[in-house]
Amino acid sequence: MKISVTLSDLHDLNVDLLALAFSKSDLKKKAPKALAAAGISSSVLDDFKAGAGELMLLYPADGKLRAQRVALVGTGEGKTIDDWRKAAVEVASKAAALEVSSVAFDITGDRPGGKKGAGALAGAVAEGACFGNYRFERLKSGKLDKEPKKADAKKGMSSFTLRVEPALLGEAEKGAEAGRIVGEAQSMARDMINLPGNYLQAEDLSKIAVESGKKYGYAVTVLRKKEIEALKMGGLLAVNQGSTHPPTFTVMDYKPKGKARAVVALVGKGVTFDSGGISIKPSEGMGEMKSDMAGAAAVIGAVEAAARLALPVRVIGLVPSTDNMPDGSAQKPGDVITTYSGITVEVGNTDAEGRLILADALSYAKEKYSPDVLIDVATLTGACIVALGYRVAGIFSNSDTLAAEIGGAGELSGEKVWRLPLWDLYDEQIQSDVADLNNTGGRGAGTITAAKFLQKFTDGHKKWAHIDIAGPSFSSKGSLNIKGGTGFGVRLLVELMKQWK
């Protein structure tokens, strides 16, 4: 999708759909004039309240506008950039449903951040357009369609244009381009999450990272089973025991042209399908466990976006990957494994596998790269969904500064997070009688004990954070106005790294 910026008058925008955004406070003052220009009665405002993301589709009178349709879209109070992002998501979703190819979105007038925020606003709207336009249809044959689709129906929008004031053109163009890049990186992550296990195994995940590195100029190294065995990554190897597919450990390394302002290591959980292993999951909903590599997808997307945006930080992405299957040779509850760090772990539950592969990757990242910041992203616990629901990720950090930075990035990116405690009193729940640690701490405080387990493998790193994205990474019921993978974490991580300029 082409995203551009224009100064054209509203009457001259020759598009399939023209979106006019209004906040609740501006609705009565500005909407009637805009509607009159389109030859539309202001009586329609009786049914439009301008809530964030609320949309009303209208048709202009003949000869009034060149646009074929008009969408009134609400920005709520209009005070946050995320309200505008939500509006753009709804406009793009409606455009995709209508199978229209060209959309214009008016962002003139009052906006959050004033003139200084023009670039950020344009970026958020562009991200929202990419998000709303996304469709995963690569596995549909079309053989059963009752009516043939238009030739370009599956392509969605071909163009999305932002209308701005002349004084803001330069900043808006920069922001829109950055938003397009982040939006495309998030769409790539969503594609990975939506692919089923028979289409995406560890090797496939590595190939996607390699292709991205070649295209955007950063190094990618893929360690395969023999090399993983040589490194004695006991966590990753133990989870892989029941699989017919070999594991991979992918390392992406983006280096900026100048001196890096910081070195950040991002670790993403890459379990391509999680059956639970011997501690098998219930069959209902198990198919959604194809999304258990959403952390890996977010990391790959974030590294690609950092390279394309030429962020002045060095970004190392690490993805340990395998599926978790209940084969006869699979690890068993009660087994004791030795991780890359040398720490031994009693396997209390084979469905607590993500923390085992992350343990090896975290230790490797700290030892090999000594990063300034160490962050892991994972669909780690159902307990996090119980605590925070399906819209918010849980974060844990041993650094108040880093936790605050991630929280701020969450507000700006629209990918919200909430901090949970890492108190030492939870350590006793992951103690083992036969090994250094147990990989499960029981039902109580499950998301916290998982984070405490991971912390043991950071080797005392002073600026580490764990982000549990189990809730917002995948929408099975359309609760986020979408179904399937969301790519949650890409925008969050990119916004976080932008702060380190």
Side-chain angles (χ1 to χ4, degrees):
M1 179 174 62
K2 179 182 178 182
I3 296 180
S4 59
V5 178
T6 186
L7 303 176
S8 297
D9 188 273
L10 287 176
H11 294 83
D12 297 327
L13 291 170
N14 186 13
V15 292
D16 297 319
L17 177 64
L18 171 61
L20 303 176
F22 297 101
S23 66
K24 291 181 178 180
S25 60
D26 282 346
L27 188 59
K28 292 184 178 180
K29 293 185 291 183
K30 298 182 178 180
K33 183 179 178 181
L35 289 171
I40 299 171
S41 171
S42 60
S43 63
V44 300
L45 298 178
D46 293 340
D47 299 320
F48 181 72
K49 307 303 179 186
E54 181 184 354
L55 186 144
M56 176 180 282
L57 186 66
L58 304 168
Y59 292 85
D62 290 343
K64 290 291 185 177
L65 297 175
R66 297 185 72 186
Q68 296 179 23
R69 304 167 183 83
V70 172
L72 298 186
V73 61
T75 59
E77 300 302 325
K79 296 180 179 179
T80 70
I81 282 177
D82 196 42
D83 287 334
W84 287 76
R85 185 186 286 108
K86 289 176 184 176
V89 169
E90 292 305 316
V91 169
S93 296
K94 175 60 72 173
L98 293 171
E99 298 182 359
V100 302
S101 62
S102 58
V103 175
F105 194 111
D106 184 22
I107 61 171
T108 60
D110 297 333
R111 67 187 67 78
K115 291 183 178 180
K116 291 183 179 179
L121 177 61
V125 171
E127 290 170 2
C130 291
F131 195 91
N133 188 49
Y134 176 85
R135 295 291 183 275
F136 183 76
E137 297 185 334
R138 68 169 65 181
L139 303 181
K140 293 186 177 182
S141 68
K143 298 289 186 181
L144 300 178
D145 292 344
K146 293 182 179 179
E147 297 180 7
K149 289 190 175 182
K150 298 176 184 177
D152 61 348
K154 291 187 178 182
K155 297 178 182 178
M157 285 187 292
S158 60
S159 69
F160 186 87
T161 304
L162 286 76
R163 179 176 178 265
V164 301
E165 295 103 326
L168 306 179
L169 180 63
E171 285 302 309
E173 286 179 331
K174 291 178 185 176
E177 175 61 12
R180 181 183 68 84
I181 288 171
V182 175
E184 288 179 354
Q186 187 169 34
S187 293
M188 176 186 69
R190 295 174 75 178
D191 279 346
M192 286 185 266
I193 298 165
N194 286 327
L195 282 170
N198 62 324
Y199 279 80
L200 187 78
Q201 287 292 336
E203 189 65 38
D204 302 303
L205 208 57
S206 296
K207 287 179 181 177
I208 292 170
V210 169
E211 290 169 4
S212 175
K214 287 180 179 178
K215 188 172 182 179
Y216 297 111
Y218 60 90
V220 180
T221 302
V222 180
L223 305 181
R224 293 181 170 81
K225 190 170 184 178
K226 287 186 178 180
E227 295 160 300
I228 294 169
E229 288 173 337
L231 288 170
K232 297 181 180 180
M233 289 186 166
L236 178 54
L237 291 168
V239 177
N240 181 251
Q241 280 178 205
S243 177
T244 58
H245 301 277
T248 61
F249 184 66
T250 304
V251 181
M252 298 156 279
D253 191 351
Y254 158 67
K255 298 177 182 178
K257 291 183 178 179
K259 183 179 179 181
R261 304 282 177 85
V263 178
V264 55
L266 305 175
V267 180
K269 174 186 171 184
V271 176
T272 57
F273 182 80
D274 183 18
S275 70
I278 297 298
S279 307
I280 197 163
K281 293 177 180 289
S283 59
E284 184 177 357
M286 191 191 290
E288 294 177 7
M289 289 299 100
K290 67 182 182 180
S291 69
D292 212 19
M293 36 59 64
V299 166
I300 295 171
V303 175
E304 176 177 299
R308 295 177 66 183
L309 292 170
L311 296 184
V313 293
R314 184 182 178 190
V315 187
I316 300 142
L318 304 100
V319 175
S321 185
T322 178
D323 54 356
N324 183 28
M325 300 297 288
D327 185 84
S329 59
Q331 65 171 338
K332 306 171 293 297
D335 284 359
V336 174
I337 63 173
T338 303
T339 61
Y340 173 82
S341 65
I343 296 172
T344 58
V345 178
E346 179 185 5
V347 180
N349 189 320
T350 65
D351 193 24
E353 85 299 331
R355 65 200 72 181
L356 297 180
I357 71 173
L358 290 173
D360 285 338
L362 285 167
S363 298
Y364 183 87
K366 170 64 164 56
E367 179 185 292
K368 183 81 172 178
Y369 297 101
S370 299
D372 298 305
V373 180
L374 177 59
I375 299 172
D376 69 82
V377 187
T379 50
L380 206 63
T381 65
C384 198
I385 300 175
V386 174
L388 298 174
Y390 289 92
R391 303 293 294 272
V392 179
I395 65 165
F396 301 82
S397 183
N398 57 359
S399 165
D400 291 341
T401 300
L402 179 58
E405 289 173 340
I406 296 173
E411 290 297 324
L412 289 173
S413 68
E415 296 189 331
K416 290 181 169 54
V417 299
W418 189 257
R419 191 180 185 185
L420 294 168
L422 271 175
W423 296 323
D424 290 341
L425 60 90
Y426 292 104
D427 283 340
E428 63 186 51
Q429 289 182 238
I430 54 173
Q431 291 177 355
S432 168
D433 293 332
V434 297
D436 297 325
L437 297 170
N438 195 303
N439 77 328
T440 181
R443 265 183 90 80
T447 194
I448 298 174
T449 54
K452 290 298 293 181
F453 180 89
L454 293 178
Q455 188 179 21
K456 304 297 183 185
F457 298 89
T458 62
D459 191 25
H461 195 287
K462 300 299 183 183
K463 214 168 185 182
W464 160 74
H466 160 58
I467 307 176
D468 191 331
I469 62 171
S473 65
F474 193 86
S475 177
S476 59
K477 305 298 183 185
S479 60
L480 305 173
N481 296 326
I482 60 165
K483 291 183 179 180
T486 65
F488 187 102
V490 175
R491 295 202 310 259
L492 175 68
L493 293 172
V494 172
E495 189 61 48
L496 177 65
M497 292 186 287
K498 283 182 180 178
Q499 296 181 20
W500 299 330
K501 288 185 177 181

